[in-house]
């Protein structure tokens, strides 16, 4: 692949990352060589966590456990926002994985409940 094609591909992935809502700050992002990841370390973790939750979707994970996973990411964000502790990219990645996993589990739980409710309310017809 030519350098020009690599550059255009990188720009497209960066545009996609921006559309996902990521701030894409270079100091909070990972790099592969000279190429910045299209999303920051925390968003990278969130995407990884949500992907892991897809593989665990058939397992019944407690909504309380999922909420605790979300709170791990929230705690890291609050500590950083209040200036009490500066977060690092590895910590952002790990807390992002926990938060993404927990959020996805809560989504799946809500979808299961909604589908179950609709199945009870709408009679099956052939």
């Amino acid at each position: 692949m030519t350098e020009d094609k690599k550059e255009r591909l990188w720009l497209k992935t960066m545009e996609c990352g921006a559309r996902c809502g990521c701030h894409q700050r270079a100091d909070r992002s990972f790099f592969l060589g000279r190429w910045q990841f299209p999303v920051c370390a925390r968003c990278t973790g969130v995407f990884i966590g949500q992907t892991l939750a897809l593989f665990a979707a058939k397992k019944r994970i407690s909504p309380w456990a999922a909420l605790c996973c979300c709170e791990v990411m929230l705690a890291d964000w609050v500590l950083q926002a209040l200036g009490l502790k500066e977060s690092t990219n590895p910590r952002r990645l790990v807390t992002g994985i926990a938060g993404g996993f927990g959020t996805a589990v809560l989504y799946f739980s809500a979808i299961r409940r909604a589908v179950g409710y609709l199945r009870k309310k709408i009679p099956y017809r052939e």
Side-chain angles (χ1 to χ4, degrees):
M1 184 181 287
T2 67
E3 282 300 312
D4 186 50
K5 285 185 180 182
K6 286 180 186 177
E7 184 80 23
R8 281 186 281 157
L9 178 62
W10 178 75
L11 287 172
K12 287 287 185 194
T13 60
M14 290 299 284
E15 287 173 15
C16 184
R19 280 192 216 111
C20 290
C22 182
H23 57 63
Q24 299 177 317
R25 283 180 44 175
D27 63 324
R28 294 187 182 178
S29 298
F30 293 115
F31 282 78
L32 188 59
R34 68 180 183 100
W35 305 101
Q36 178 183 339
F37 275 34
V39 292
C40 69
R42 187 169 285 131
C43 289
T44 299
V46 168
F47 292 141
I48 292 170
Q50 289 174 339
T51 303
L52 292 173
L54 283 173
F55 292 110
K58 295 207 181 233
K59 297 184 187 294
R60 298 289 175 153
I61 298 168
S62 163
W64 288 109
L67 189 60
C68 288
C69 287
C70 294
E71 288 174 356
V72 167
M73 185 173 74
L74 178 64
D76 182 44
W77 180 82
V78 168
L79 288 172
Q80 181 176 336
L82 293 176
L84 298 175
K85 182 145 181 92
E86 182 64 28
S87 191
T88 62
N89 283 346
R91 184 181 303 137
R92 289 183 189 108
L93 177 68
V94 170
T95 61
I97 291 171
F101 183 84
T103 302
V105 168
L106 291 173
Y107 288 157
F108 297 149
S109 179
I111 291 168
R112 277 191 196 107
R113 285 179 179 257
V115 168
Y117 176 78
L118 290 174
R119 281 188 179 157
K120 291 178 185 175
K121 291 290 183 183
I122 302 170
Y124 177 74
R125 295 181 196 187
E126 289 187 33

